[in-house]
């Protein structure tokens, strides 16, 4: 009689665990975390982008007679990076953030932060672009960052092309510009950097007139 009862429990427990796993498997895309395994006989383990964070005999409720439950959480895996970039952060679970920087001589284009999403994928990766100095540029300070503050020395631009430059910095005030509403926009003289290429590396720096 005891043998029959044990066989029945083993059969029904395994069936319940199987059904629960199928139900959980259909929700993997929607759930960031879940407990895998149903009492009395628990079969742990995670699927898809989920990785096992810890094991527990009781987990989310009633305890297992045999086996264990797995606490499963989305893990995006190690974030990729270009040869000229550096990644900081060793937490790859859903909701975590890593940050990128570039090696000297390279300019970071894009968002320096990447986040692990609930679908197990990282947000877009920034890129590191090699830049070359082409010469000095004369430019109205408002054209650099959209503001008029009469402080050329604090002006800088990094990213998409601005007057032919991927990077504008080291600015000095060249002369006074127009006045409006008690604010003055000055003309700034700045260093202009453009993306490097084999043909451009051997060309002489361009004068500011070519960008104005």
């Amino acid at each position: 009689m005891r043998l029959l009862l044990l066989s029945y429990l083993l059969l029904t427990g395994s069936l319940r665990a199987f059904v629960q796993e199928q139900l959980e498997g259909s929700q993997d895309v929607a759930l960031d975390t879940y407990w895998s395994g149903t009492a009395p006989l628990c079969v742990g383990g995670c699927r898809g982008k989920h990785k096992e964070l810890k094991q527990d005999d009781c987990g989310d409720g009633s305890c297992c007679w045999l086996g264990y439950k797995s606490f499963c959480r989305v893990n995006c895996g190690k974030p990729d990076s270009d040869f000229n970039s550096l990644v900081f952060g060793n937490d790859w679970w859903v909701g975590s953030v890593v940050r990128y920087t570039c090696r000297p001589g390279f300019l970071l284009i894009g968002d320096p932060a990447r986040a692990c999403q609930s679908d197990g994928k990282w947000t877009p990766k920034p890129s590191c672009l090699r830049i070359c100095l082409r010469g000095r540029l004369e430019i109205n300070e408002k054209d650099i960052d959209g503001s008029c503050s009469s402080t050329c020395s604090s002006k800088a631009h990094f990213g998409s092309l601005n007057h032919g430059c991927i990077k504008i910095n080291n600015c000095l005030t060249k002369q006074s510009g127009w006045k409006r509403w008690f604010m003055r926009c000055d003309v700034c003289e700045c260093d202009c950097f453009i993306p490097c290429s084999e043909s451009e590396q051997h060309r002489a720096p361009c004068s500011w007139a070519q960008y104005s």
Side-chain angles (χ1 to χ4, degrees), residues 66-85:
L66 293 174
Y68 65 90
K69 297 180 181 181
S70 296
F71 185 61
C72 303
R73 189 178 185 186
V74 169
N75 189 295
C76 292
K78 184 177 181 179
D80 59 326
S81 62
D82 297 331
F83 177 75
N84 297 309
S85 64

Side-chain angles (χ1 to χ4, degrees), residues 17-27 47:
F18 173 77
V19 171
Q20 182 67 20
E21 285 183 4
Q22 296 304 308
L23 290 174
E24 290 172 348
S26 65
Q27 298 175 342
R47 293 164 300 282

Side-chain angles (χ1 to χ4, degrees), residues 46-104:
C46 304
R47 293 164 300 282
K49 292 290 186 177
H50 292 78
K51 305 296 181 183
E52 187 177 80
L53 188 60
K54 63 179 179 179
Q55 297 179 357
D56 193 280
D57 293 339
C58 295
D60 54 347
S62 58
C63 298
C64 307
W65 291 5
L66 293 174
Y68 65 90
K69 297 180 181 181
S70 296
F71 185 61
C72 303
R73 189 178 185 186
V74 169
N75 189 295
C76 292
K78 184 177 181 179
D80 59 326
S81 62
D82 297 331
F83 177 75
N84 297 309
S85 64
L86 301 172
V87 187
F88 297 91
N90 54 11
D91 185 351
W92 307 333
W93 299 104
V94 62
S96 62
V97 175
V98 296
R99 297 190 176 277
Y100 285 71
T101 61
C102 295
R103 299 182 187 277

